[in-house]
Amino acid sequence: MSADVSRHVAIDLGASSGRVALGTVQAGKLTVDVLHRFPNGGVPVQGGLYWDVLGLWREILHGLKLAGSYGHIDSVGVDSWAVDYALLDEHGLLLDGVHHYRDARTTGVMDDVHRTLLKDAMYDATGIQFLPFNTAYQLIAHERQAPGS
């Protein structure tokens, strides 16, 4: 590989699709090639909506393998949903499925929270807009469904 060539992988996990792209910088010029596209979305399980974490992992690895066939990769970046989270144990293993932000468990939680916590105080603490699927509301919904877990 020439010193003036660098390769960078971008992984984009959207609400309905995902992709792995390879950006190549050579002689000051960036080219971007989408190497792998795959469907993404919620999986209904026992009345809840979850991300297919293992399926996403498989698709990401496939895209990384394709990118690796081009030679040395200088960096990898991931863009995902921002509000969803995974609970891990002390060994880094998933404790539960990863809820999809469109899961109905947060219905009404935001209104409940703002009956006791002023919106100004929450905005000052978080700086984010008020959407019913924000992480804070998801965590409260989780505690309501599985207290102490």
Side-chain angles (χ1 to χ4, degrees):
M1 177 178 83
S2 171
D4 66 342
V5 175
S6 63
R7 293 183 187 87
H8 310 273
V9 176
I11 300 167
D12 176 34
L13 300 176
S16 61
S17 67
R19 65 183 158 243
V20 178
L22 177 66
T24 304
V25 180
Q26 185 170 16
K29 182 181 176 190
L30 170 67
T31 58
V32 178
D33 297 298
V34 176
L35 303 179
H36 183 50
R37 289 182 182 273
F38 48 94
N40 187 18
V43 177
V45 177
Q46 295 183 342
L49 193 61
Y50 296 83
W51 291 108
D52 179 7
V53 175
L54 297 178
L56 291 172
W57 183 244
R58 181 183 62 247
E59 298 292 353
I60 289 167
L61 290 178
H62 177 71
L64 289 172
K65 184 175 181 179
L66 293 172
S69 71
Y70 286 80
H72 176 80
I73 301 298
D74 295 285
S75 68
V76 176
V78 180
D79 178 40
S80 66
W81 319 290
V83 296
D84 294 333
Y85 61 91
L87 297 175
L88 306 176
D89 69 10
E90 65 273 10
H91 305 290
L93 300 175
L94 282 174
L95 289 171
D96 195 3
V98 178
H99 281 276
H100 190 289
Y101 72 94
R102 292 180 177 164
D103 183 78
R105 72 192 175 129
T106 59
T107 301
V109 172
M110 184 174 75
D111 293 334
D112 289 349
V113 168
H114 294 298
R115 279 195 262 290
T116 57
L117 179 64
L118 296 176
K119 284 187 173 184
D120 287 347
M122 187 147 186
Y123 184 80
D124 288 345
T126 66
I128 59 174
Q129 61 185 332
F130 298 106
L131 298 169
F133 49 75
N134 283 346
T135 308
Y137 309 125
Q138 288 197 50
L139 290 168
I140 292 166
H142 175 87
E143 178 63 22
R144 287 178 176 180
Q145 285 182 337
S149 66

mmCIF file of all heavy atoms in Angstrom, residues 1-8 22-31 70-75:
data_model
loop_
_atom_site.group_PDB
_atom_site.id
_atom_site.type_symbol
_atom_site.label_atom_id
_atom_site.label_comp_id
_atom_site.label_asym_id
_atom_site.label_seq_id
_atom_site.Cartn_x
_atom_site.Cartn_y
_atom_site.Cartn_z
ATOM 1 N N MET A 1 0.839 -1.175 0.000
ATOM 2 C CA MET A 1 0.000 0.000 0.000
ATOM 3 C C MET A 1 0.885 1.240 0.000
ATOM 4 O O MET A 1 1.820 1.345 0.771
ATOM 5 C CB MET A 1 -0.906 -0.026 1.230
ATOM 6 C CG MET A 1 -1.758 1.204 1.344
ATOM 7 S SD MET A 1 -2.869 1.164 2.769
ATOM 8 C CE MET A 1 -1.768 1.733 4.034
ATOM 9 N N SER A 2 0.560 2.167 -0.832
ATOM 10 C CA SER A 2 1.291 3.424 -0.896
ATOM 11 C C SER A 2 0.983 4.256 0.342
ATOM 12 O O SER A 2 -0.119 4.224 0.874
ATOM 13 C CB SER A 2 0.875 4.184 -2.160
ATOM 14 O OG SER A 2 1.419 5.479 -2.145
ATOM 15 N N ALA A 3 1.952 5.022 0.789
ATOM 16 C CA ALA A 3 1.783 5.844 1.991
ATOM 17 C C ALA A 3 0.717 6.916 1.794
ATOM 18 O O ALA A 3 0.176 7.424 2.755
ATOM 19 C CB ALA A 3 3.112 6.480 2.377
ATOM 20 N N ASP A 4 0.404 7.264 0.540
ATOM 21 C CA ASP A 4 -0.586 8.312 0.318
ATOM 22 C C ASP A 4 -1.998 7.739 0.112
ATOM 23 O O ASP A 4 -2.888 8.442 -0.329
ATOM 24 C CB ASP A 4 -0.184 9.196 -0.862
ATOM 25 C CG ASP A 4 -0.188 8.458 -2.191
ATOM 26 O OD1 ASP A 4 -0.160 7.219 -2.192
ATOM 27 O OD2 ASP A 4 -0.224 9.131 -3.237
ATOM 28 N N VAL A 5 -2.207 6.473 0.464
ATOM 29 C CA VAL A 5 -3.531 5.854 0.380
ATOM 30 C C VAL A 5 -3.958 5.426 1.779
ATOM 31 O O VAL A 5 -3.194 4.787 2.497
ATOM 32 C CB VAL A 5 -3.523 4.613 -0.548
ATOM 33 C CG1 VAL A 5 -4.870 3.921 -0.533
ATOM 34 C CG2 VAL A 5 -3.139 5.005 -1.968
ATOM 35 N N SER A 6 -5.170 5.796 2.157
ATOM 36 C CA SER A 6 -5.718 5.296 3.423
ATOM 37 C C SER A 6 -7.141 4.810 3.167
ATOM 38 O O SER A 6 -7.843 5.328 2.297
ATOM 39 C CB SER A 6 -5.675 6.365 4.513
ATOM 40 O OG SER A 6 -6.477 7.476 4.170
ATOM 41 N N ARG A 7 -7.521 3.782 3.945
ATOM 42 C CA ARG A 7 -8.850 3.185 3.795
ATOM 43 C C ARG A 7 -9.575 3.223 5.137
ATOM 44 O O ARG A 7 -9.012 2.883 6.168
ATOM 45 C CB ARG A 7 -8.729 1.743 3.302
ATOM 46 C CG ARG A 7 -8.196 1.649 1.889
ATOM 47 C CD ARG A 7 -8.151 0.192 1.410
ATOM 48 N NE ARG A 7 -7.501 0.106 0.126
ATOM 49 C CZ ARG A 7 -6.179 -0.013 -0.045
ATOM 50 N NH1 ARG A 7 -5.385 -0.076 0.999
ATOM 51 N NH2 ARG A 7 -5.666 -0.082 -1.253
ATOM 52 N N HIS A 8 -10.845 3.601 5.072
ATOM 53 C CA HIS A 8 -11.650 3.795 6.277
ATOM 54 C C HIS A 8 -13.018 3.158 6.064
ATOM 55 O O HIS A 8 -13.651 3.388 5.037
ATOM 56 C CB HIS A 8 -11.783 5.285 6.585
ATOM 57 C CG HIS A 8 -10.457 5.976 6.577
ATOM 58 N ND1 HIS A 8 -9.661 6.045 7.700
ATOM 59 C CD2 HIS A 8 -9.758 6.577 5.575
ATOM 60 C CE1 HIS A 8 -8.539 6.684 7.382
ATOM 61 N NE2 HIS A 8 -8.579 7.007 6.105
ATOM 62 N N LEU A 22 -16.745 1.616 2.294
ATOM 63 C CA LEU A 22 -15.299 1.797 2.326
ATOM 64 C C LEU A 22 -14.963 3.145 1.713
ATOM 65 O O LEU A 22 -15.317 3.422 0.564
ATOM 66 C CB LEU A 22 -14.598 0.678 1.536
ATOM 67 C CG LEU A 22 -13.078 0.791 1.437
ATOM 68 C CD1 LEU A 22 -12.435 0.619 2.813
ATOM 69 C CD2 LEU A 22 -12.543 -0.253 0.463
ATOM 70 N N GLY A 23 -14.305 3.985 2.508
ATOM 71 C CA GLY A 23 -13.820 5.256 2.014
ATOM 72 C C GLY A 23 -12.325 5.148 1.766
ATOM 73 O O GLY A 23 -11.580 4.709 2.649
ATOM 74 N N THR A 24 -11.912 5.519 0.580
ATOM 75 C CA THR A 24 -10.495 5.473 0.225
ATOM 76 C C THR A 24 -10.032 6.890 -0.072
ATOM 77 O O THR A 24 -10.668 7.602 -0.857
ATOM 78 C CB THR A 24 -10.255 4.574 -1.011
ATOM 79 O OG1 THR A 24 -10.781 3.268 -0.728
ATOM 80 C CG2 THR A 24 -8.782 4.474 -1.346
ATOM 81 N N VAL A 25 -8.956 7.282 0.596
ATOM 82 C CA VAL A 25 -8.370 8.601 0.357
ATOM 83 C C VAL A 25 -7.047 8.385 -0.347
ATOM 84 O O VAL A 25 -6.152 7.698 0.159
ATOM 85 C CB VAL A 25 -8.152 9.374 1.675
ATOM 86 C CG1 VAL A 25 -7.531 10.734 1.388
ATOM 87 C CG2 VAL A 25 -9.451 9.509 2.449
ATOM 88 N N GLN A 26 -6.941 8.955 -1.555
ATOM 89 C CA GLN A 26 -5.711 8.835 -2.341
ATOM 90 C C GLN A 26 -5.477 10.146 -3.071
ATOM 91 O O GLN A 26 -6.390 10.666 -3.715
ATOM 92 C CB GLN A 26 -5.826 7.682 -3.339
ATOM 93 C CG GLN A 26 -4.551 7.433 -4.104
ATOM 94 C CD GLN A 26 -4.604 6.144 -4.918
ATOM 95 O OE1 GLN A 26 -5.669 5.588 -5.157
ATOM 96 N NE2 GLN A 26 -3.451 5.672 -5.323
ATOM 97 N N ALA A 27 -4.285 10.646 -2.935
ATOM 98 C CA ALA A 27 -3.901 11.909 -3.570
ATOM 99 C C ALA A 27 -4.900 13.016 -3.231
ATOM 100 O O ALA A 27 -5.286 13.807 -4.083
ATOM 101 C CB ALA A 27 -3.773 11.731 -5.085
ATOM 102 N N GLY A 28 -5.354 13.027 -1.968
ATOM 103 C CA GLY A 28 -6.254 14.074 -1.522
ATOM 104 C C GLY A 28 -7.693 13.914 -1.970
ATOM 105 O O GLY A 28 -8.519 14.780 -1.712
ATOM 106 N N LYS A 29 -8.013 12.810 -2.641
ATOM 107 C CA LYS A 29 -9.377 12.600 -3.138
ATOM 108 C C LYS A 29 -10.025 11.440 -2.391
ATOM 109 O O LYS A 29 -9.425 10.379 -2.215
ATOM 110 C CB LYS A 29 -9.347 12.290 -4.635
ATOM 111 C CG LYS A 29 -10.725 12.100 -5.226
ATOM 112 C CD LYS A 29 -10.664 11.780 -6.707
ATOM 113 C CE LYS A 29 -12.076 11.505 -7.204
ATOM 114 N NZ LYS A 29 -12.075 10.964 -8.550
ATOM 115 N N LEU A 30 -11.271 11.650 -1.952
ATOM 116 C CA LEU A 30 -12.035 10.620 -1.258
ATOM 117 C C LEU A 30 -13.004 9.955 -2.214
ATOM 118 O O LEU A 30 -13.765 10.624 -2.925
ATOM 119 C CB LEU A 30 -12.830 11.240 -0.100
ATOM 120 C CG LEU A 30 -13.859 10.335 0.583
ATOM 121 C CD1 LEU A 30 -13.166 9.186 1.323
ATOM 122 C CD2 LEU A 30 -14.731 11.150 1.531
ATOM 123 N N THR A 31 -12.973 8.626 -2.239
ATOM 124 C CA THR A 31 -14.004 7.859 -2.943
ATOM 125 C C THR A 31 -14.683 6.961 -1.915
ATOM 126 O O THR A 31 -14.046 6.463 -0.988
ATOM 127 C CB THR A 31 -13.423 6.995 -4.086
ATOM 128 O OG1 THR A 31 -12.448 6.107 -3.537
ATOM 129 C CG2 THR A 31 -12.790 7.855 -5.156
ATOM 130 N N TYR A 70 -9.730 -5.373 0.358
ATOM 131 C CA TYR A 70 -9.101 -4.258 -0.358
ATOM 132 C C TYR A 70 -7.718 -3.932 0.186
ATOM 133 O O TYR A 70 -7.024 -3.095 -0.355
ATOM 134 C CB TYR A 70 -9.992 -3.008 -0.283
ATOM 135 C CG TYR A 70 -11.202 -3.094 -1.165
ATOM 136 C CD1 TYR A 70 -12.324 -3.810 -0.773
ATOM 137 C CD2 TYR A 70 -11.237 -2.470 -2.406
ATOM 138 C CE1 TYR A 70 -13.446 -3.899 -1.579
ATOM 139 C CE2 TYR A 70 -12.351 -2.551 -3.224
ATOM 140 C CZ TYR A 70 -13.450 -3.275 -2.799
ATOM 141 O OH TYR A 70 -14.554 -3.359 -3.603
ATOM 142 N N GLY A 71 -7.352 -4.535 1.314
ATOM 143 C CA GLY A 71 -6.051 -4.272 1.915
ATOM 144 C C GLY A 71 -6.203 -3.690 3.311
ATOM 145 O O GLY A 71 -7.262 -3.778 3.934
ATOM 146 N N HIS A 72 -5.119 -3.096 3.794
ATOM 147 C CA HIS A 72 -5.069 -2.547 5.148
ATOM 148 C C HIS A 72 -6.182 -1.527 5.366
ATOM 149 O O HIS A 72 -6.419 -0.656 4.532
ATOM 150 C CB HIS A 72 -3.708 -1.887 5.377
ATOM 151 C CG HIS A 72 -3.599 -1.227 6.706
ATOM 152 N ND1 HIS A 72 -3.337 -1.942 7.860
ATOM 153 C CD2 HIS A 72 -3.730 0.064 7.075
ATOM 154 C CE1 HIS A 72 -3.316 -1.106 8.876
ATOM 155 N NE2 HIS A 72 -3.547 0.123 8.430
ATOM 156 N N ILE A 73 -6.858 -1.631 6.518
ATOM 157 C CA ILE A 73 -7.899 -0.676 6.908
ATOM 158 C C ILE A 73 -7.330 0.193 8.029
ATOM 159 O O ILE A 73 -6.826 -0.306 9.028
ATOM 160 C CB ILE A 73 -9.169 -1.412 7.402
ATOM 161 C CG1 ILE A 73 -9.723 -2.335 6.316
ATOM 162 C CG2 ILE A 73 -10.214 -0.430 7.894
ATOM 163 C CD1 ILE A 73 -10.153 -1.638 5.051
ATOM 164 N N ASP A 74 -7.424 1.506 7.853
ATOM 165 C CA ASP A 74 -6.858 2.441 8.822
ATOM 166 C C ASP A 74 -7.797 2.790 9.973
ATOM 167 O O ASP A 74 -7.336 3.137 11.062
ATOM 168 C CB ASP A 74 -6.423 3.720 8.103
ATOM 169 C CG ASP A 74 -5.290 3.446 7.137
ATOM 170 O OD1 ASP A 74 -4.157 3.251 7.611
ATOM 171 O OD2 ASP A 74 -5.533 3.392 5.913
ATOM 172 N N SER A 75 -9.100 2.721 9.723
ATOM 173 C CA SER A 75 -10.045 3.033 10.799
ATOM 174 C C SER A 75 -11.407 2.435 10.485
ATOM 175 O O SER A 75 -11.717 2.135 9.343
ATOM 176 C CB SER A 75 -10.171 4.550 11.001
ATOM 177 O OG SER A 75 -10.804 5.151 9.884
#
